[in-house]
Amino acid sequence: MKLKNKVALVTGGTSGIGFEAARLFQAEGAHVVVTGTNPERLGATARELGDDALVLAVDLRKVDEIERAIEEIRAKFGRIDVVFANAGAGSAAPLEEVTQEQIDAQFSLNFRGLFFTIQKAAPLMTKGGSIVATTSFLNAVGTPGLSILSATKAAIRSLVRSLGAELAPRGIRVNAISPGPIATPFHTKLGLSDAQLSETAAAIQAKIPLQRFGEASEIAKAALYLASDDASFTTGTELVVDGGLTQF
Ligand SMILES: NC(=O)c1ccc[n+]([C@@H]2O[C@H](COP(=O)([O-])OP(=O)(O)OC[C@H]3O[C@@H](n4cnc5c(N)ncnc54)[C@H](OP(=O)(O)O)[C@@H]3O)[C@@H](O)[C@H]2O)c1
């Protein structure tokens, strides 16, 4: 078991990549703490993970909710060994249609929420701790209509280097995992019509050297590697799991 008795916080753990990671981390021996916002998905996740898991409603756009969640973890477990800072969402819009509200909504969740998750969790972490942040293939390629979402992910990539440097003296590793296009509900929340969605999906798939979307479980396995002691000499890096999309 790669995470035996570790306490692992997974944000955005009620769906897609985070949900698969929470299940895998638990199967590898971790006590998992999962966050999300949607009551139905929170309930379904709690039922799936069972009594050992702590499933918390946390809107990461609100720092006081992050603080409350970290306090609950401190009260129940007393420490955090792994943070998978994974929650994220995006909205698609071309340059001329991007609004201040769209920029604020995406940065407040994807970047600010991730930053404060790490800031508030770090005091509960000790030597050997691991932080894994979810970036995206979008930080390496330009994609029309996804400028703001992509910029949030590029900001996270930078943050991983800075916080990795800050936390290295304490023996805490900070890495990113960069998924390619993955079959999750993420895409249905971009604000595209069904026709735009299937057209975009087909266009992206045609560019992926392995000729398919990835599965959430494939990202979960890579996140497990970075979270575990298997990656004990790896920090500041970004593990790309994208079917070759950004590499060839
Ligand atoms: N799918 C892809 O193709 C792809 C590619 C590259 C990178 N990524 C990244 O992978 C990460 C996970 O995405 P996914 O594909 O697994 O998407 P997903 O299935 O839509 O899951 C997103 C998760 O984020 C949570 N979330 C959304 N808004 C939140 C908020 N305000 N506060 C707290 N949690 C919130 C959701 O919880 P609720 O639903 O309960 O609110 C859900 O658990 C994201 O950071 C995404 O940018 C995905």
Side-chain angles (χ1 to χ4, degrees):
M1 286 204 175
K2 292 183 186 292
L3 295 179
K4 192 163 174 53
N5 288 328
K6 304 277 189 190
V7 178
L9 167 63
V10 180
T11 71
T14 55
S15 176
I17 292 167
F19 180 68
E20 287 301 324
R23 290 205 312 177
L24 180 61
F25 289 5
Q26 189 178 58
E28 291 289 338
H31 304 290
V32 293
V33 182
V34 164
T35 71
T37 64
N38 178 282
E40 284 170 18
R41 284 192 282 278
L42 285 163
T45 303
R47 284 191 293 280
E48 170 70 23
L49 297 177
D51 287 345
D52 183 59
L54 191 57
V55 178
L56 302 174
V58 184
D59 184 346
L60 294 173
R61 295 186 172 115
K62 297 177 181 157
V63 178
D64 61 327
E65 292 197 18
I66 299 174
E67 286 172 337
R68 180 180 47 75
I70 298 296
E71 180 49 32
E72 275 196 58
I73 299 169
R74 194 198 60 72
K76 184 168 167 91
F77 296 110
R79 66 176 206 284
I80 299 175
D81 301 297
V82 171
V83 175
F84 185 24
N86 162 78
S91 56
L95 170 63
E96 56 278 9
E97 288 175 20
V98 173
T99 63
Q100 292 182 55
E101 290 72 25
Q102 286 174 345
I103 294 176
D104 290 347
Q106 291 175 85
F107 269 92
S108 67
L109 172 60
N110 295 1
F111 183 77
R112 200 183 66 192
L114 178 142
F115 177 85
F116 283 111
T117 299
I118 295 172
Q119 187 200 59
K120 304 301 175 194
L124 290 189
M125 300 183 77
T126 54
K127 192 171 180 198
S130 173
I131 297 167
V132 182
T134 305
T135 56
S136 172
F137 71 99
L138 294 170
N139 70 15
V141 294
T143 308
L146 294 179
S147 58
I148 307 306
L149 171 60
S150 304
T152 67
K153 296 301 187 176
I156 297 169
R157 175 66 189 96
S158 168
L159 189 69
V160 161
R161 286 198 171 94
S162 302
L163 299 187
E166 285 193 35
L167 293 173
R170 289 175 47 195
I172 298 170
R173 298 177 295 104
V174 187
N175 292 288
I177 186 153
S178 176
I182 307 300
T184 74
F186 184 88
H187 309 274
T188 60
K189 304 172 189 169
L190 288 168
L192 298 172
S193 67
D194 287 352
Q196 287 172 318
L197 200 55
S198 44
E199 194 181 310
T200 309
I204 292 177
Q205 182 153 328
K207 290 185 185 167
I208 302 171
L210 289 182
Q211 300 182 340
R212 63 173 175 86
F213 272 49
E215 297 296 330
S217 59
E218 293 175 293
I219 305 302
K221 283 183 246 181
L224 173 65
Y225 166 70
L226 290 173
S228 75
D229 287 344
D230 283 354
S232 54
F233 200 50
T234 301
T235 191
T237 193
E238 182 179 52
L239 178 53
V240 177
V241 187
D242 70 356
L245 178 60
T246 59
Q247 306 304 311
F248 309 141

